[in-house]
Amino acid sequence: MPQNAPRGYGAVFAVREFRFVFAAHLLSLLGVVVSEIALTFLVYDLTGSPLLSALTFALGLLPYLVGGTLLAGVADRYPARRVLVVCDLLCALCVGVMVLPGTPIAGLLALRCAVAAIAPVFTGTRMAALTDILGEGDLYVLGRSLLRIVSQSAQLAGFGLGGVLLAVVPARGAICVTAVTFLCSAALLRFGTADRPARATPRSGDAGTTGSLLRESLGGARLLLGDRRTRALLLLFWLPAMFVVAPEALAAPYADSLGLGPAALGLMMCAMPVGHIVAELYVGTVLSPRARSRVVLPGAALGLLPLLVYAAEPGLGWALAALALSGAAAAYVIGLDQWFVAAVPEELRGRAMTLLTAGLMTLQGLGMAAAGAAAEFLPVPQVVAGAGALGTLCCLVLVREVHRTGPGATVAREARGRTGRPRRSRPRRGRRSVRPKGETVLTRE
């Protein structure tokens, strides 16, 4: 690398294609957050029903499982740029129909489900495409980190922007913003990224058939979850996130139990994302690729322990500190990203990233629902502390499994890919990739 070449996050932004992907991601995220607020407000305004209003927000998570399992094959079967642009255009169309005055409540909810079902396909395809744009080394890790930081930041800014918009324009007008952001994202991706071939070619006679697409999607999920190493890494993304949402899901009743107002509630909702953003920026900027790998297992194992402070029914200050620490511990995923890329064959990468996204969102939704249900019978502090304790036990077992499946091999692979230059995936020593009829088969360890 030249002596004056940019390093760290600067090196990622030096890649022209990534700048277009980054801008598209930022626009679409802001639009989605604004639309969630505006649509929830619109449904409540039309029906006066808190249940339907809450259901509107929940429908942003539930269809992830459907889209991430039944449609995952799209990410590998078709060229990435085409998939991304079509997903954006379909979402813009759905949002455009939401804006029409004659759209009934059932239609609004159905369109909300459609957008949510498309989301994991789009996200998984984009995550896989980053390996083509940035390579499989350090640039990919930092690029994923930047998109994750933007996601956390956009949620904080988007809620504020949505509130301001709703104060000056009708709900349908605010929803129009989302349609515009989807269209802008589609244009950025179409004209700012290269057209690359699909990763996997469907078998002869299967191309274009719905049945074959479902088989590829479900078959890919079966292969990925059937491989011990890949399954353990997926769970290392999913399980900590499932338990860590408990304090956020119960922030409102906890703030109320302490006699705190809306300002304190806002601080509690912001503490964890802020902790995550600060820690991930530090890890991505200061730590080397090898050091990032070393913090993965400790971060995953211990990240939920700060929630145990809730057992003492802490005041606002201690609660904010605990939330910020748990958010900071989630920066372990910056090293886990590299392990996951190294473990998954290129032909399955789009499906793997889509499954990762779908599982993450689904389990977070289940975690919120479980915390809410438990709080119907137990005090909120006990529920949050219990989530921290049970989650820590589960994570310790999972960390042991990840360690036993060979993280050392992944670290060695990472060291070889440190330059960040694009390269084709190769099977690791001791593992073979078998391709019957054009499909990749993962071997068990």
Side-chain angles (χ1 to χ4, degrees):
M1 179 181 291
Q3 196 168 15
N4 60 349
R7 297 176 181 274
Y9 289 118
V12 180
F13 278 117
V15 179
R16 177 182 176 275
E17 278 189 85
F18 178 79
R19 293 197 297 269
F20 281 87
V21 172
F22 182 86
H25 179 60
L26 178 59
L27 280 173
S28 61
L29 262 178
L30 285 173
V32 167
V33 174
V34 169
S35 72
E36 286 177 347
I37 300 171
L39 187 59
T40 302
F41 181 84
L42 176 62
V43 170
Y44 183 74
D45 186 53
L46 293 174
T47 65
S49 169
L51 175 61
L52 287 177
S53 179
L55 181 61
T56 303
F57 196 85
L59 288 176
L61 296 176
L62 299 179
Y64 263 79
L65 183 61
V66 177
T69 53
L70 301 184
L71 303 178
V74 172
D76 289 319
R77 176 184 279 204
Y78 302 103
R81 187 177 74 176
R82 186 190 310 171
V83 174
L84 294 174
V85 171
V86 169
C87 285
D88 268 338
L89 293 177
L90 287 174
C91 290
L93 177 62
C94 290
V95 173
V97 177
M98 290 180 189
V99 176
L100 298 177
T103 305
I105 298 300
L108 292 173
L109 298 180
L111 291 167
R112 177 83 166 107
C113 286
V115 172
I118 294 170
V121 178
F122 179 89
T123 304
T125 303
R126 185 189 59 214
M127 288 167 61
L130 279 184
T131 61
D132 299 322
I133 296 172
L134 300 174
E136 299 177 11
D138 197 40
L139 285 186
Y140 168 79
V141 172
L142 294 177
R144 282 275 295 128
S145 172
L146 277 171
L147 295 185
R148 201 160 36 235
I149 290 170
V150 168
S151 297
Q152 296 280 355
S153 304
Q155 288 185 20
L156 299 177
F159 285 131
L161 179 60
V164 172
L165 277 176
L166 288 173
V168 297
V169 299
R172 294 186 191 274
I175 294 173
C176 284
V177 173
T178 304
V180 174
T181 59
F182 279 130
L183 292 174
C184 290
S185 174
L188 287 168
L189 294 170
R190 172 61 180 81
F191 298 107
T193 60
D195 187 17
R196 297 179 175 87
R199 285 185 174 78
T201 304
R203 291 178 290 181
S204 177
D206 277 353
T209 64
T210 302
S212 67
L213 176 61
L214 294 177
R215 283 196 298 274
E216 289 174 15
S217 301
L218 295 174
R222 184 171 60 251
L223 290 171
L224 292 164
L225 294 174
D227 179 72
R228 183 180 176 186
R229 173 69 176 170
T230 308
R231 181 176 63 247
L233 294 179
L234 283 169
L235 289 171
L236 201 60
F237 280 106
W238 294 344
L239 280 185
M242 177 181 178
F243 289 100
V244 82
V245 297
E248 290 184 313
L250 300 175
Y254 188 69
D256 182 63
S257 69
L258 296 178
L260 302 174
L265 174 60
L267 288 174
M268 294 178 69
M269 295 297 291
C270 291
M272 196 175 290
V274 169
H276 187 179
I277 291 169
V278 172
E280 185 142 350
L281 283 171
Y282 175 83
V283 171
T285 303
V286 177
L287 300 188
S288 67
R290 185 174 294 276
R292 292 185 210 126
S293 289
R294 288 173 179 164
V295 303
V296 171
L297 298 184
L302 306 177
L304 295 170
L305 282 179
L307 300 185
L308 296 180
V309 76
Y310 271 77
E313 300 186 19
L316 179 62
W318 285 106
L320 291 177
L323 293 171
L325 284 173
S326 286
Y332 77 89
V333 296
I334 194 172
L336 184 58
D337 280 333
Q338 183 61 51
W339 293 8
F340 191 62
V341 168
V344 176
E346 185 174 0
E347 294 82 0
L348 286 172
R349 193 166 291 156
R351 280 167 282 184
M353 299 301 185
T354 303
L355 180 64
L356 166 60
T357 303
L360 185 63
M361 298 301 291
T362 301
L363 287 179
Q364 282 183 317
L366 290 175
M368 290 180 181
E376 291 289 328
F377 305 97
L378 298 171
V380 169
Q382 291 183 20
V383 174
V384 176
L390 179 59
T392 298
L393 290 176
C394 293
C395 289
L396 287 172
V397 173
L398 182 56
V399 161
R400 183 170 180 268
E401 172 68 6
V402 172
H403 187 268
R404 291 178 64 183
T405 58
T410 302
V411 175
R413 171 84 175 260
E414 178 182 282
R416 293 197 298 272
R418 192 172 298 170
T419 61
R421 290 192 295 267
R423 60 183 66 187
R424 309 292 287 184
S425 295
R426 292 182 234 170
R428 288 179 288 162
R429 182 174 297 178
R431 294 169 63 92
R432 291 188 303 168
S433 292
V434 185
R435 303 171 184 255
K437 298 183 180 179
E439 185 58 273
T440 299
V441 176
L442 294 171
T443 57
R444 293 181 180 270
E445 306 244 356

